[in-house]
Amino acid sequence: MQPHSRRSFGKKLTAAALAGGVFSEGAVAEPQHPKRLTFPEGFLWGCATASYQIEGAVLEDGRKPSVWDTFSHTPGKTHNGETGDVADDSYHRYKTDIQLMKNLGVKVYRMSVAWPRVFPDGTGQANEKGINYYERVVDELLANGIDPYVTMYHWDLPQAQQDRVGGWQSRETSKAFADYSGFVAKRLSDRVHHFFTTNELVCMTDLAYRWGQFAPGLKLAAAEANQVRHNAILGHGMAVQAIRASSKPGTLVGLAENATVYAPVFEDDAGIAAAQKATRHGNAQFLTAIMEGKYVESYLAQEGSAAPKVEAGDMKIIGSPLDFVGLNVYTPEYVRPDDSPLGFAVIPRPKSFPHMPSPWLFVGPEVLYWAVRNVSELWKPTTLYITENGCSSLDVLTADGHVYDTDRVMYLRNHLTHLHRAAVEGYPIKGYFLWSLMDNFEWADGYTNRFGIHYVDFETQKRTPKLSAEFYRRTIAANAVA
Ligand code: PNW
């Protein structure tokens, strides 16, 4: 290779970008890079989305409202009153969206099923047209060589279920969720081999029923909110059993959980032990209870008289063995060992800690390594997936029709570098689902915070691959950080 002056190198790059070279779909000469960060053979690269965030078509084919329809239509709940009424219109454009993935070379896709399409009233009569839609999506994915991984609950609870029994405030909802999940598994498990029960327990319980930020927007007291948490993990366990009971042999079940990730500020034995203690205690109400089939003492002591009421047999259901654990990973907490009874202290975040436009999305790429390592060492799951990772960015479509999201490329490269470390150290991490395939309805933030690697013009529904899509395409092609 000829040596370049800084200036001529810069010029060349710009010229290539303007000629479309950076985004070209044709063959790209891959540099032979002897020190590439190569992933284990067969590592699965995918993208993730969720029903209410992309589908739109909220009144079509028998779908009835979910709590998110009601919430987003309530003044003051979402940015500018934005809703998922249309979103990415993926209900009609799913074939286009599957082609976006085919162009990337992804082998797996994490999607969710909208409960109110399948059981518009939460329970009772199934809606054939609703389940038929997911059958069409699954068939189209398979025809394009993409394996669907299906989430049963990505927060679109049927409004009727909320109205009838108070949603997750009642164990009636845990039971209804299991029935719905069993039905979906029965209909799809001839073609879908991986199911996730719940997505992000803290968001579907605390954010929705305790802090009022997500649908249904309630602000319950601690004891009632802890019962919501309990009903949610019970629903997860019941769904695991229902899916197993009604699916074809070989169907695998897990969940997609955004457990709080604790990274040791210093990586020595004491720091690593502190991170594990923090992981177990800090996730006691969700992942720890699920992995251990019990509430750890420190959680029960902390909650005191507000601790959840547990019926006989609940913890066994909650602890139903899983085939894999999915982790949604965004942001770390830093810990150090100390002499307190818990044995660790969380270090307060300094004001200047860098974050992406979503104010909660602090950038600490080692989060991916510690997510995998802490969970692996504590509970020894046989298979882990990263079921979400990615970032928001203030993307701008330039006059030349491109989105130069070098900030997202930076974010992804650094996170994948740390995931690579976990993979080569032998932890059982088998795949990565990037959040998200395309810009979509970002819950209470509406359409402001874009998480996609494809830019979506929400007026025209045009999808444009961002620079990060090309980064991901190259990463997948090389099975190495691009
Ligand atoms: C996850 N927080 O949500 C969800 O699973 C996705 O649906 C979502 O679009 C994505 O991450 C990006 O936000 C979260 O406030 C929402 O800490 C909020 C938080 C975390 C995750």
Side-chain angles (χ1 to χ4, degrees):
M1 193 181 162
Q2 293 293 313
H4 288 284
S5 77
R6 232 173 220 218
R7 231 171 116 216
S8 71
F9 189 63
K11 253 193 209 151
K12 277 201 173 148
L13 248 189
T14 312
L18 287 176
V22 173
F23 294 85
S24 69
E25 282 176 21
V28 178
E30 296 288 347
Q32 288 310 305
H33 195 316
K35 292 196 174 143
R36 254 188 152 168
L37 302 178
T38 301
F39 280 73
E41 217 183 299
F43 191 83
L44 292 171
W45 298 100
C47 289
T49 64
S51 46
Y52 189 67
Q53 296 182 272
I54 66 164
E55 286 176 0
V58 291
L59 296 172
E60 245 163 280
D61 292 337
R63 182 189 184 277
K64 287 188 185 172
S66 75
V67 292
W68 266 99
D69 295 83
T70 311
F71 186 76
S72 63
H73 279 270
T74 306
K77 299 299 184 190
T78 65
H79 178 261
N80 281 341
E82 287 156 1
T83 73
D85 287 0
V86 179
D88 294 313
D89 191 34
S90 202
Y91 193 78
H92 302 113
R93 297 169 195 260
Y94 67 91
K95 290 188 179 173
T96 308
D97 296 336
I98 290 170
Q99 288 311 306
L100 299 178
M101 286 191 276
K102 195 168 186 193
N103 291 338
L104 290 172
V106 305
K107 286 281 175 290
V108 287
Y109 175 45
R110 177 175 171 243
M111 55 184 271
S112 81
V113 170
W115 184 349
R117 286 197 194 283
V118 181
F119 288 95
D121 295 308
T123 58
Q125 191 60 39
N127 173 31
E128 268 306 303
K129 285 185 172 171
I131 190 72
N132 287 343
Y133 166 66
Y134 295 105
E135 292 179 320
R136 291 198 296 280
V137 174
V138 162
D139 290 342
E140 181 74 10
L141 285 162
L142 293 173
N144 284 280
I146 299 169
D147 208 2
Y149 282 51
V150 170
T151 308
M152 297 294 188
Y153 188 76
H154 206 123
W155 311 347
D156 30 15
L157 180 74
Q159 182 65 45
Q161 188 67 28
Q162 180 63 35
D163 295 342
R164 197 167 48 242
V165 297
W168 292 104
Q169 282 190 260
S170 165
R171 31 199 301 146
E172 286 302 308
T173 297
S174 321
K175 172 83 178 50
F177 175 57
D179 292 344
Y180 147 74
S181 299
F183 177 84
V184 172
K186 186 171 182 153
R187 293 293 294 268
L188 298 184
S189 63
D190 55 342
R191 289 157 280 179
V192 175
H193 308 301
H194 299 80
F195 290 98
F196 306 97
T197 55
T198 50
N199 178 71
E200 301 200 344
L201 286 157
V202 68
C203 293
M204 66 179 262
T205 60
D206 293 2
L207 260 49
Y209 288 83
R210 176 91 168 111
W211 308 120
Q213 295 165 1
F214 281 1
L218 302 184
K219 293 185 179 169
L220 301 176
E224 293 168 284
N226 285 340
Q227 208 59 42
V228 167
R229 292 168 163 184
H230 181 76
N231 295 338
I233 60 174
L234 181 64
H236 151 80
M238 288 178 165
V240 169
Q241 299 191 353
I243 292 167
R244 291 227 167 95
S246 59
S247 59
K248 295 258 183 298
T251 303
L252 302 173
V253 194
L255 82 174
E257 180 56 354
N258 62 333
T260 304
V261 178
Y262 297 92
V265 69
F266 302 126
E267 205 176 292
D268 58 10
D269 289 349
I272 293 167
Q276 280 186 25
K277 286 177 194 160
T279 302
R280 190 159 178 261
H281 173 75
N283 297 291
Q285 67 279 40
F286 300 127
L287 193 60
T288 306
I290 288 168
M291 300 310 280
E292 302 188 14
K294 66 169 196 236
Y295 289 122
V296 295
E297 272 310 315
S298 59
Y299 173 62
L300 295 175
Q302 175 188 286
E303 300 303 319
S305 62
K309 304 211 167 22
V310 180
E311 292 187 13
D314 283 3
M315 297 317 295
K316 185 142 191 265
I317 297 170
I318 289 167
S320 300
L322 301 178
D323 298 303
F324 55 83
V325 174
L327 296 171
N328 295 3
V329 182
Y330 291 97
T331 281
E333 295 286 346
Y334 292 93
V335 290
R336 60 183 171 76
D338 79 355
D339 297 332
S340 68
L342 291 174
F344 69 90
V346 175
I347 300 170
R349 213 186 299 279
K351 271 217 164 64
S352 56
F353 201 99
H355 65 85
M356 300 308 283
S358 307
W360 54 269
L361 219 181
F362 295 97
V363 182
E366 63 271 46
V367 70
L368 229 32
Y369 174 76
W370 289 104
V372 170
R373 179 165 173 178
N374 290 336
V375 169
S376 296
E377 291 189 350
L378 275 171
W379 298 303
K380 316 268 184 288
T382 50
T383 300
L384 286 172
Y385 297 105
I386 300 302
T387 33
E388 284 183 27
N389 173 244
C391 70
S392 48
S393 149
L394 301 178
D395 297 312
V396 178
L397 192 61
T398 55
D400 62 355
H402 290 315
V403 178
Y404 297 101
D405 58 340
T406 52
D407 50 352
R408 183 174 287 104
V409 172
M410 174 280 288
Y411 180 99
L412 293 172
R413 173 179 289 113
N414 282 286
H415 282 74
L416 290 179
T417 297
H418 286 270
L419 185 64
H420 175 263
R421 179 181 173 202
V424 298
E425 287 182 10
Y427 295 107
I429 176 71
K430 305 291 191 219
Y432 173 89
F433 296 82
L434 195 157
W435 186 272
S436 179
L437 171 64
M438 55 192 172
D439 298 335
N440 57 48
F441 178 70
E442 177 54 16
W443 307 113
D445 291 344
Y447 295 96
T448 45
N449 284 325
R450 293 172 175 269
F451 274 81
I453 57 172
H454 291 90
Y455 184 89
V456 177
D457 178 330
F458 293 104
E459 297 292 316
T460 63
Q461 291 296 342
K462 184 171 188 247
R463 283 85 160 121
T464 302
K466 303 177 191 177
L467 196 56
S468 54
E470 177 61 10
F471 167 81
Y472 200 40
R473 191 182 76 79
R474 288 170 180 241
T475 295
I476 295 169
N479 194 34
V481 182

